[in-house]
Amino acid sequence: IQKLCDRVASSTLLDDRRDAVRALKSLSKKYRLEVGIQAMEHLIHVLQTDRSDSEIIGYALDTLYNVISNDLEEEEQEENSAKQVDDLGSQFTEIFIKQQENVTLLLTLVEEFDFHVRWPGVKLLTSLLKQQGPQVQQIILVSPMGVSRLMDLLADSREVIRNDGVLLLQQLTKSNAAIQKIVAFENAFERLLDIITEEGNSDGGIVVEDCLLLLQNLLKNNNSNQNFFKEGSYIQRMKPWFEVGDDNCGWSAQKVTNLHLMLQLVRVLVSPTNPPGATSSCQKAMFLCGLLQQLCTILMATGVPADILTETINTVSEVIRGCQTNQDYFASVNAPSNPPRPAIVVLLMSMVNERQPFVLRCAVLYCFQCFLYKNQKGQGEIVSTLLPSTIDATGNSVSAGQLLCGGLFSTDSLSNWCAAVALAHALQENGTLKEQLLRVQLATSIGNPPVSLLQQCTNILSQGSKVQTRVGLLMLLCTWLSNCSIAVTHFLHNPANVPFLTGQIAENLGEEEQLVQGLCALLLGISIYYNDNSLENYRKEKLKQLIEKRIGRENFIEKLGFISKHELYSRAAQKPQPSFSSPDHMMFDHEFTKLVKELEGVISKAIYKSSEEDKKEEEVKKTLEQHDNIVTHYKKVIREQDQELEELKQRINSLTSQNEQLQATVTQQVSQIQQHKDQYNLLKVQLGKDTQHHNSHGDTLQMNGIQTEQVSKLKEELEEWKNKHELLQGQLKEKDSVIEKLNSSQLEMGATEQSLQSRFGGLEHSNELQKELEMLRSQIQLQSAEISKLQMENQKLQVMNTAADPMLGDSGATAATSSELEARLEQEIKELKSQVKALSEEKESLKQQLDSSTSTVAILQDKNSRLEREVAESKKEQDDLLVLLADQDQKISAQKMKLKDFGVAVEDEDDTESGDQGDEDEDGDEEEQD
């Protein structure tokens, strides 16, 4: 070894040095100590100077690995003690990492892609972490990009390096939260879950197991990483892990291990020791993605190995613990039996069955406790199965309550204890159910009257059963009586109970019985502390005198202290899950330890209080209760008034905003109507000008000779225009009848408005509606004035029409007059119709406003939409009339021009008054033409 070290140090040829290092490698396993002492310095020098040659680097790394690693052959392990081996590896590691540059150099070598360098580098670094974990972790942490370099190993295409990279990261992340966070944020979750999927999930090999162990390192007790895992939607990717097929036979040992680790990983995310908010969000995510449903499927499946079933029950327990949604879902799960039974009932049957494995029974108890944790609805459902009104008389199905009672009074002490604790959890922090449970009656034997559940529990206690049974029953009674004065009264009503408790406490028994004595003292203390003095013989003062005479106060307090001093009490207080090494150690429940902590001090104080102090305390309690009731009442009243005030404010705001919108809409539509009126007047003026222009133009036309055929055609056209004129007169009469109807409806509206006024007088609270009514009245008056004006115009038009009738001849001027008259009448009648229609709608809206003030807004909105439609329709009708008038004017002017071209004398509109003269001229023209 010395010669080889000299060759490594002094040889100038690379081949010589490589051969020497290869020889050292072959000797390093057998002569580990000698090679480590003599060659380590030279090997580190080779790593620093010969990096260009991957072969010599690989040999040097392998040699260092053999020296530092404790993975020896079995034969060597027999020869050397484990302690010496551990010391040797640890010492060489300490020498290597003394110079931090060595670890940094190793990190650089691990970056090399060459297999012969990277793989031994990974193994050496893993071994260093095993030997001196915290020190190497610190060096890697302060090294630039140290952790990031190692994360690249997971992306290596060579499975050997990738798998060893997972092992390296396992060692690197042990008990170091800072490195765990860096690894997690370097996308470790994504890569590890991809590897697990590629390897076949739970059916995969040992690589899946290594990935799961690394995930556990990253997530356990690391709230930041747990939150990152949840926010990254990685919980959803866990669901396929638990999709086990129907054929559950032939589970391999590796599959069992993998599934066990997967279940533990779920539990890490929902552990009761995590912050409540983080646990709750993970529980919700597991329900939403279907993970809880998948776990319940495994729970109810057949052929699942016992240890997997136990761990699944524990996992489901923590997924539903304290989460109402998940607890409700679990309550609805049925086992695939005929007939279907609730999963809770099936699990309880296993718990009270003494042939089931102990760990499985503990798991079921934990599941039941988690189902009832902060779940008053579930507690009520369990207790209701015990009440007389809900018990199934047919006896076809077994309920949860019946199973608990059966377990409570069976011959198996473990079943007694489990059933008592389960029933105590059904009563936890629920005073209503404690009172209801007092109604439960049990039929003990044929012919004997039924006894209450409370009485039966005390009967079994007095029979001197096993310690475990008595401890379970005493825990149940303490939970039942605490904070429930009615239950205390029922308990004290049985004259045998107090003498039994004082007798148990006063005796000097062995160590095994000390626990029972302590619990009896606690039960008696609860009977004093929560006593409402309703029983004369068992008032607080008399019970304290009894303790003073029979037991002694100091002795009573000492016996009470036996509970919290017990070793099993300390174990149970650590975590909610019941974990016991053997059935004999199953004595205390986690929730009960909280109750003991809460009551031990107050009971000790209550025992030493005098009767006067008790009276004062009761008076203070009563005063405080009265004060609290008054405060609660006023708080309730204030809360209700605040709600009403808030609702009224919101309503006022909404109505104000809607009123403003409607006012703006009405203003806008009024301006639109005015705009349309202006346009109409302008068009009338323009039409008059055009007619004058056409007449003056017609006078300037020269006479020309015409043919007889053309004149006959013009005469036929004149006949058509006469027919149209007669048709328009008929339409005019129809319009007159429509106007008459509108007048009558106007009168009806006046009467309706008066009735509305009389009704409105009674609504003193609605000032805004009265103002609105006044506005509408003024609008109605204005519109009625407009209607009367339009009627006057209509009468004038009728007079003009009757005056124009006898003067109708074959002239085109008469046709023009009639068409203009028709257009004006039709337009004005339509405006009258729209205005009267608007008035009728306003009348309807007033009626609806009186019926319900809350519907005012909807009616105004409806009126708004109707007004918009009417404006659009009136605009469209005006456009159509204008087009029609323009066409008629063009046709008349064209005919006049043709007649004048043919030499026929055509009269203008201004000459219609001298109709006779016009006829004579026309006859003269015809004679001349002939």
Side-chain angles (χ1 to χ4, degrees):
I1 291 170
Q2 183 62 48
K3 286 179 181 178
L4 290 171
C5 290
D6 292 340
R7 281 177 62 189
V8 171
S10 59
S11 294
T12 54
L13 291 174
L14 180 60
D15 291 342
D16 290 344
R17 294 201 300 279
R18 188 189 302 124
D19 292 340
V21 173
R22 186 191 296 117
L24 284 171
K25 175 192 168 186
S26 61
L27 292 168
S28 59
K29 285 187 179 180
K30 193 171 183 180
Y31 303 103
R32 181 182 173 192
L33 179 63
E34 292 79 1
V35 172
I37 292 171
Q38 297 180 42
M40 183 174 283
E41 189 179 342
H42 301 298
L43 292 169
I44 292 170
H45 184 69
V46 167
L47 294 179
Q48 292 169 343
T49 56
D50 290 327
R51 286 188 58 184
S52 58
D53 185 62
S54 60
E55 200 173 348
I56 192 171
I57 295 291
Y59 292 145
L61 290 170
D62 281 332
T63 309
L64 287 168
Y65 172 74
N66 291 338
V67 168
I68 290 170
S69 173
N70 286 328
D71 302 334
L72 300 175
E73 299 291 332
E74 289 183 6
E75 296 170 2
E76 293 177 88
Q77 282 182 347
E78 289 172 6
E79 293 171 8
N80 302 309
S81 69
K83 189 176 180 182
Q84 288 176 336
V85 168
D86 287 345
D87 287 347
L88 197 58
S90 181
Q91 286 168 8
F92 281 133
T93 303
E94 201 170 334
I95 293 167
F96 185 83
I97 66 172
K98 199 169 188 180
Q99 298 293 327
Q100 292 191 8
E101 296 82 6
N102 294 342
V103 179
T104 309
L105 176 64
L106 192 52
L107 288 171
T108 310
L109 293 171
V110 167
E111 278 190 292
E112 295 286 341
F113 186 74
D114 193 311
F115 181 82
H116 297 291
V117 176
R118 197 172 207 182
W119 188 39
V122 170
K123 291 197 295 180
L124 176 57
L125 194 53
T126 307
S127 186
L128 291 172
L129 284 162
K130 282 181 181 176
Q131 303 298 335
Q132 296 284 344
Q135 293 89 329
V136 180
Q137 283 174 342
Q138 200 56 37
I139 295 168
I140 293 173
L141 196 57
V142 298
S143 174
M145 298 294 289
V147 178
S148 300
R149 294 180 197 175
L150 299 178
M151 283 301 299
D152 293 337
L153 296 171
L154 294 181
D156 201 305
S157 57
R158 295 160 295 193
E159 288 192 9
V160 177
I161 293 177
R162 183 198 71 185
N163 299 345
D164 279 351
V166 173
L167 295 173
L168 168 59
L169 289 170
Q170 270 184 35
Q171 298 298 326
L172 181 66
T173 54
K174 272 186 180 176
S175 308
N176 192 311
I179 292 178
Q180 288 167 3
K181 287 179 185 177
I182 296 170
V183 171
F185 282 96
E186 288 283 347
N187 208 21
F189 293 138
E190 184 79 34
R191 294 183 186 181
L192 291 170
L193 292 170
D194 286 342
I195 294 171
I196 291 171
T197 307
E198 288 168 15
E199 295 291 326
N201 294 330
S202 59
D203 293 318
I206 196 164
V207 179
V208 173
E209 181 184 343
D210 292 336
C211 289
L212 291 168
L213 288 169
L214 176 52
L215 283 170
Q216 275 195 24
N217 279 0
L218 294 174
L219 292 171
K220 200 167 188 178
N221 300 324
N222 193 318
N223 300 328
S224 171
N225 282 3
Q226 287 174 9
N227 189 51
F228 181 63
F229 191 84
K230 179 185 71 70
E231 295 296 334
S233 300
Y234 296 118
I235 289 176
Q236 288 83 327
R237 294 188 61 179
M238 297 168 77
K239 185 191 172 188
W241 296 354
F242 305 102
E243 291 174 356
V244 288
D246 295 332
D247 185 17
N248 289 325
C249 57
W251 288 58
S252 66
Q254 187 61 57
K255 182 172 182 176
V256 170
T257 304
N258 289 347
L259 208 53
H260 206 273
L261 288 169
M262 288 169 175
L263 291 166
Q264 285 182 347
L265 197 60
V266 175
R267 291 185 67 185
V268 164
L269 294 169
V270 292
S271 170
T273 57
N274 293 345
T279 300
S280 176
S281 57
C282 287
Q283 287 171 331
K284 288 174 185 173
M286 287 174 184
F287 175 75
L288 292 173
C289 75
L291 180 58
L292 174 59
Q293 293 85 325
Q294 204 67 49
L295 291 170
C296 289
T297 305
I298 297 175
L299 200 66
M300 295 292 110
T302 53
V304 179
D307 52 345
I308 292 295
L309 183 61
T310 304
E311 191 62 24
T312 305
I313 294 170
N314 286 328
T315 307
V316 169
S317 307
E318 293 183 353
V319 172
I320 67 172
R321 187 176 190 268
C323 180
Q324 189 65 53
T325 309
N326 294 5
Q327 288 167 337
D328 291 344
Y329 170 76
F330 184 68
S332 68
V333 174
N334 285 324
S337 59
N338 192 16
R341 286 176 174 168
I344 295 170
V345 172
V346 175
L347 290 172
L348 286 176
M349 289 169 76
S350 301
M351 186 183 78
V352 297
N353 184 352
E354 55 188 299
R355 290 192 297 274
Q356 293 291 345
F358 172 64
V359 286
L360 180 65
R361 297 173 76 180
C362 289
V364 173
L365 176 62
Y366 184 44
C367 186
F368 192 71
Q369 290 174 349
C370 290
F371 170 67
L372 297 177
Y373 183 70
K374 293 184 179 177
N375 182 11
Q376 292 197 345
K377 180 183 173 186
Q379 289 176 322
E381 288 170 357
I382 297 297
V383 171
S384 68
T385 59
L386 284 164
L387 300 177
S389 57
T390 56
I391 292 174
D392 185 8
T394 59
N396 291 333
S397 60
V398 180
S399 68
Q402 289 169 318
L403 286 169
L404 290 176
C405 279
L408 201 60
F409 308 125
S410 75
T411 54
D412 176 34
S413 61
L414 190 58
S415 296
N416 301 154
W417 190 91
C418 290
V421 169
L423 202 52
H425 275 262
L427 303 174
Q428 202 81 37
E429 297 178 3
N430 198 325
T432 309
L433 295 182
K434 289 176 182 178
E435 293 176 15
Q436 285 187 5
L437 203 64
L438 296 169
R439 293 165 46 204
V440 176
Q441 300 289 319
L442 301 172
T444 51
S445 58
I446 299 170
N448 292 331
V451 296
S452 68
L453 178 61
L454 186 69
Q455 183 59 48
Q456 185 65 12
C457 291
T458 55
N459 290 345
I460 295 171
L461 269 178
S462 59
Q463 289 170 6
S465 50
K466 290 183 181 178
V467 172
Q468 193 173 41
T469 302
R470 283 182 287 160
V471 167
L473 289 170
L474 284 165
M475 285 197 296
L476 170 60
L477 289 171
C478 289
T479 307
W480 193 349
L481 268 58
S482 66
N483 214 11
C484 183
S485 300
I486 298 173
V488 171
T489 305
H490 276 256
F491 179 75
L492 296 175
H493 198 269
N494 185 350
N497 288 341
V498 173
F500 167 74
L501 291 177
T502 52
Q504 286 284 313
I505 300 165
E507 287 183 22
N508 290 318
L509 304 170
E511 288 185 8
E512 289 184 358
E513 293 292 330
Q514 283 185 349
L515 195 52
V516 176
Q517 286 185 314
L519 290 168
C520 287
L522 180 66
L523 184 57
L524 187 56
I526 289 170
S527 301
I528 294 170
Y529 187 70
Y530 292 106
N531 192 341
D532 59 0
N533 294 328
S534 56
L535 294 175
E536 186 61 34
N537 294 333
Y538 295 104
R539 295 172 66 84
K540 284 185 180 181
E541 192 56 38
K542 289 190 176 181
L543 288 173
K544 283 194 269 189
Q545 289 173 3
L546 186 67
I547 289 172
E548 181 66 32
K549 289 178 183 176
R550 297 270 183 91
I551 306 164
R553 289 180 183 176
E554 289 77 11
N555 192 22
F556 178 86
I557 299 301
E558 184 187 354
K559 297 289 174 73
L560 184 63
F562 284 164
I563 303 172
S564 55
K565 291 175 184 174
H566 204 281
E567 181 189 356
L568 298 175
Y569 173 90
S570 304
R571 285 188 197 171
Q574 289 172 4
K575 58 180 180 177
Q577 183 184 359
S579 55
F580 306 102
S581 55
S582 70
D584 297 336
H585 292 160
M586 209 169 189
M587 287 293 174
F588 284 109
D589 170 57
H590 178 75
E591 291 296 324
F592 181 73
T593 60
K594 293 182 182 177
L595 183 68
V596 172
K597 280 181 189 175
E598 181 187 334
L599 294 177
E600 191 175 8
V602 294
I603 288 172
S604 300
K605 288 179 183 176
I607 295 297
Y608 283 104
K609 277 181 184 173
S610 64
S611 57
E612 291 178 1
E613 288 175 339
D614 280 337
K615 285 178 183 177
K616 285 180 183 177
E617 190 176 338
E618 283 178 11
E619 287 174 4
V620 169
K621 276 185 180 178
K622 285 179 182 178
T623 309
L624 286 172
E625 282 177 6
Q626 289 174 356
H627 177 71
D628 288 342
N629 291 335
I630 293 167
V631 170
T632 306
H633 172 69
Y634 279 116
K635 279 183 180 177
K636 187 178 178 182
V637 170
I638 291 166
R639 198 179 298 114
E640 289 173 357
Q641 288 178 347
D642 284 343
Q643 287 176 353
E644 289 177 7
L645 194 62
E646 192 63 34
E647 287 173 5
L648 288 170
K649 281 181 180 177
Q650 290 176 358
R651 194 172 170 189
I652 287 167
N653 290 335
S654 64
L655 287 171
T656 306
S657 61
Q658 288 177 359
N659 187 31
E660 288 172 357
Q661 289 176 2
L662 290 169
Q663 290 289 347
T665 308
V666 168
T667 308
Q668 183 183 356
Q669 290 187 348
V670 167
S671 65
Q672 284 181 357
I673 290 167
Q674 187 61 43
Q675 188 180 353
H676 288 310
K677 282 183 179 179
D678 295 341
Q679 287 178 357
Y680 171 67
N681 293 330
L682 185 63
L683 287 168
K684 279 171 69 177
V685 173
Q686 286 179 353
L687 190 60
K689 286 182 181 179
D690 290 342
T691 307
Q692 290 175 4
H693 174 70
H694 283 309
N695 291 338
S696 63
H697 182 68
D699 292 336
T700 61
L701 290 174
Q702 297 177 353
M703 293 284 188
N704 292 320
I706 59 170
Q707 298 177 1
T708 308
E709 292 177 1
Q710 291 177 340
V711 171
S712 62
K713 283 182 183 177
L714 288 170
K715 283 182 178 180
E716 288 174 1
E717 288 180 2
L718 283 172
E719 287 295 327
E720 288 178 5
W721 283 113
K722 285 179 182 178
N723 294 334
K724 285 183 180 178
H725 180 71
E726 290 172 359
L727 184 64
L728 285 169
Q729 279 185 329
Q731 290 178 353
L732 184 61
K733 288 176 183 177
E734 290 177 4
K735 305 293 182 190
D736 288 340
S737 63
V738 170
I739 288 169
E740 288 298 326
K741 289 179 183 176
L742 291 172
N743 285 333
S744 61
S745 66
Q746 176 67 22
L747 294 171
E748 288 175 6
M749 278 184 65
T752 307
E753 188 266 329
Q754 288 176 0
S755 65
L756 288 174
Q757 184 179 1
S758 63
R759 289 184 192 177
F760 243 66
L763 302 173
E764 294 178 0
H765 67 285
S766 182
N767 294 327
E768 291 181 7
L769 287 175
Q770 287 178 356
K771 289 179 184 177
E772 202 167 341
L773 182 61
E774 290 298 326
M775 288 170 62
L776 287 169
R777 280 182 194 153
S778 61
Q779 285 183 10
I780 288 168
Q781 289 172 359
L782 290 171
Q783 287 172 349
S784 60
E786 283 183 8
I787 288 169
S788 60
K789 183 181 175 183
L790 288 166
Q791 284 175 342
M792 295 275 294
E793 286 185 15
N794 186 26
Q795 289 172 1
K796 286 179 184 178
L797 288 168
Q798 285 178 349
V799 170
M800 288 171 66
N801 188 29
T802 53
D805 275 343
M807 299 175 196
L808 268 173
D810 297 331
S811 67
T814 306
T817 305
S818 65
S819 62
E820 182 182 351
L821 184 63
E822 180 232 354
R824 286 184 63 192
L825 281 170
E826 191 165 349
Q827 175 62 26
E828 288 169 355
I829 286 164
K830 283 181 179 176
E831 284 184 359
L832 276 169
K833 190 176 179 181
S834 64
Q835 287 169 353
V836 172
K837 190 176 181 183
L839 283 171
S840 63
E841 285 170 358
E842 286 171 353
K843 178 186 76 174
E844 290 297 320
S845 69
L846 279 171
K847 285 181 182 178
Q848 290 172 0
Q849 283 173 347
L850 284 169
D851 293 335
S852 171
S853 61
T854 55
S855 64
T856 306
V857 175
I859 296 165
L860 288 172
Q861 287 175 343
D862 185 38
K863 190 172 80 172
N864 175 25
S865 62
R866 287 176 186 164
L867 281 170
E868 286 177 351
R869 286 200 298 272
E870 285 171 17
V871 169
E873 286 173 6
S874 65
K875 192 173 181 181
K876 185 179 178 184
E877 287 173 0
Q878 285 178 357
D879 292 340
D880 292 344
L881 281 170
L882 288 172
V883 172
L884 185 61
L885 285 171
D887 289 345
Q888 287 180 351
D889 284 340
Q890 286 176 2
K891 286 179 182 178
I892 291 168
S893 62
Q895 287 175 1
K896 285 180 179 179
M897 287 170 66
K898 285 180 182 179
L899 286 170
K900 287 183 180 180
D901 289 342
F902 293 142
V904 178
V906 179
E907 291 181 355
D908 295 335
E909 285 184 358
D910 297 335
D911 300 332
T912 53
E913 293 178 359
S914 56
D916 297 330
Q917 184 65 37
D919 288 341
E920 289 173 5
D921 292 340
E922 191 176 357
D923 292 339
D925 290 338
E926 285 176 0
E927 287 172 3
E928 288 175 7
Q929 188 176 354
D930 293 339

